[in-house]
Amino acid sequence: KNAAEKKDEL
Amino acid sequence: NAIRLAGDMSHMASFFVLLFKINKSKSVAGISLKTQELYVLVFCTRYVDIFWNHLSLYNSLMKVIFIALSVMIVYVMRRGVPQRSTYNPELDSFPHHWLVLPCVLLGVAINQDPTSPFEMAWAFSIYLEAVAIMPQLHMVQKHGEAENLTSHYIFLLGLYRVFYLVNWVYRYMTEDGYWQAIVWVSGAVQAVLYLDFFYNYVKSKQKD
């Protein structure tokens, strides 16, 4: 997973 | 997943409990302005991706809500009448610069993409969130005891962190290749900071 995709949490 | 949602909901509830407390009692005594300002900094540096990362409506909406509520709390503490006259700066004495500076350095040094200023800001926000509660905890200690609603507020913030920790374990087991070292280590540090508070919170609730 790339860094942007990982940012799905708050 | 449900655990993550429970985390977000207790996080959001913590904002509302705090806003309720400062509106109802007309007082911000015992609330750390430093912690609240650090949270504004945390959300503003983490959610700049709101302009280009559209993972879900839920995520984008929650980001706006978190920024708005944290700014609102700081606004009432600084400008609210009569709230602003009830703030105790002499008790809110934690040296917060010593939290921000190391987090800036860590954010620049350890992040997911050393060529991206956004990734530095994002990592900074993760590190800062882990320690942002310290001025508030320091204030509770100096005050002796926190007011009921203030302690509920801190409890909800700690609870949010616990839900997120469990959520990470769940995601690690169910999602292939799910791995977030920066977030997990910071989150664990953040949870540890609440241990002493949790202990006293539960003890005082049993006494009541």
Side-chain angles (χ1 to χ4, degrees), chain B residues 50-68:
Chain B
I50 200 168
F51 297 109
W52 66 86
N53 274 343
H54 297 287
L55 290 152
S56 67
L57 179 64
Y58 172 83
N59 259 34
S60 301
L61 199 63
M62 291 297 274
K63 286 173 180 178
V64 174
I65 292 173
F66 281 9
I67 292 173

Side-chain angles (χ1 to χ4, degrees), chain B residues 138-151:
Chain B
H138 172 78
M139 211 169 170
V140 170
Q141 284 197 325
K142 276 193 116 178
H143 240 292
E145 205 168 335
E147 263 178 74
N148 234 339
L149 281 171
T150 308
S151 65

